Amino acid sequence: EDQVTQSPEALRLQEGESSSLNCSYTVSGLRGLFWYRQDPGKGPEFLFTLYSAGEEKEKERLKATLTKKESFLHITAPKPEDSATYLCAVQAGRGNKLVFGAGTILRVKS
Amino acid sequence: GAGVSQTPSNKVTEKGKYVELRCDPISGHTALYWYRQSLGQGPEFLIYFQGTGAADDSGLPNDRFFAVRPEGSVSTLKIQRTERGDSAVYLCASSRPRDTQYFGPGTRLTVL
């Protein structure tokens, strides 16, 4: 069974304090690993898709990387507006469904 | 362009009642997904439509849950004999075939 585990469950940072979120996965035949951002009371907002080990993608202060066992979401010099829950999901095998982790709640204080 | 829309945004019902939740996908997206998200958890897959047919309904928890997409666009998730454990946020997503899934704002269902 495909599994996704995210750590830490919650992370508090000061504005400008860089850090990383982890997403480890166990799947058969990874087709894609996805990062979403979710604000309270809203639906998940798409950030990145990674397809193969070694791939990296960047958007503003966020950078996502992928290995054969895990993905990292690096946040450089975060701002309070980066506060949200960050969700990791995998798509595997022939199916199209996403299997999500429980998320990491990020709080950035000014 | 317009994103995925879901109605109602909130639904409060009593145990044992029937509810319908609606999803309007992004125009041109042939794939439509329903997920359920409980507090503090990630979304959990329920059902996937490609066009009008349910291509994968393996996530539906039991036969009280049913979904339709009669014309290949709007979808309705139907829950019969609601139970308190059905309380959650129900999310809809749509995509082009085998492409990124874009989510709607969700419907918060509360069963009293």
Side-chain angles (χ1 to χ4, degrees):
Chain A
E1 184 178 336
D2 301 334
Q3 286 193 324
V4 177
T5 303
Q6 293 188 244
S7 62
E9 291 183 7
L11 182 62
R12 287 190 169 191
L13 299 174
Q14 286 293 123
E15 185 172 3
E17 179 187 3
S18 302
S19 188
S20 297
L21 313 182
N22 178 265
C23 170
S24 62
Y25 60 90
T26 306
V27 299
S28 297
L30 181 73
R31 290 198 0 244
L33 185 139
F34 301 78
W35 283 98
Y36 286 84
R37 168 193 170 127
Q38 187 172 29
D39 292 299
K42 304 283 182 66
E45 175 188 348
F46 172 71
L47 293 173
F48 303 109
T49 308
L50 301 167
Y51 295 103
S52 57
E55 189 175 0
E56 300 182 351
K57 288 196 176 168
E58 289 188 65
K59 179 181 178 180
E60 297 181 355
R61 294 177 293 281
L62 300 177
K63 178 180 175 180
T65 62
L66 181 65
T67 73
K68 289 185 177 181
K69 293 183 179 180
E70 58 193 348
S71 176
F72 291 93
L73 185 65
H74 306 278
I75 303 176
T76 302
K79 298 182 177 182
E81 53 262 42
D82 295 322
S83 298
T85 296
Y86 290 85
L87 295 165
C88 171
V90 297
Q91 196 173 53
R94 294 189 299 171
N96 288 298
K97 68 180 182 183
L98 295 177
V99 176
F100 281 86
T104 293
I105 302 171
L106 175 66
R107 291 289 177 261
V108 182
K109 292 189 67 175
S110 58
Chain B
V4 177
S5 62
Q6 293 187 244
T7 54
S9 56
N10 281 284
K11 176 71 176 178
V12 180
T13 191
E14 294 180 343
K15 181 176 179 295
K17 298 290 188 182
Y18 168 83
V19 297
E20 290 189 351
L21 312 179
R22 176 187 168 110
C23 172
D24 278 273
I26 294 171
S27 178
H29 282 191
T30 57
L32 186 146
Y33 306 79
W34 284 99
Y35 293 82
R36 177 168 71 173
Q37 187 174 25
S38 299
L39 192 63
Q41 300 298 315
E44 179 184 0
F45 171 77
L46 295 176
I47 187 169
Y48 154 57
F49 287 90
Q50 180 56 49
T52 60
D56 181 357
D57 64 358
S58 63
L60 294 178
N62 52 59
D63 61 7
R64 295 186 299 105
F65 288 75
F66 189 71
V68 295
R69 195 185 184 200
E71 297 178 357
S73 180
V74 171
S75 176
T76 303
L77 179 66
K78 308 181 180 194
I79 310 174
Q80 298 177 322
R81 304 183 304 279
T82 52
E83 300 177 357
R84 293 193 179 89
D86 299 334
S87 295
V89 175
Y90 289 81
L91 294 164
C92 176
S94 71
S95 76
R96 300 187 189 281
R98 301 177 77 81
D99 203 348
T100 300
Q101 294 179 31
Y102 294 93
F103 284 81
T107 293
R108 181 175 298 278
L109 175 66
T110 303
V111 182
L112 301 177

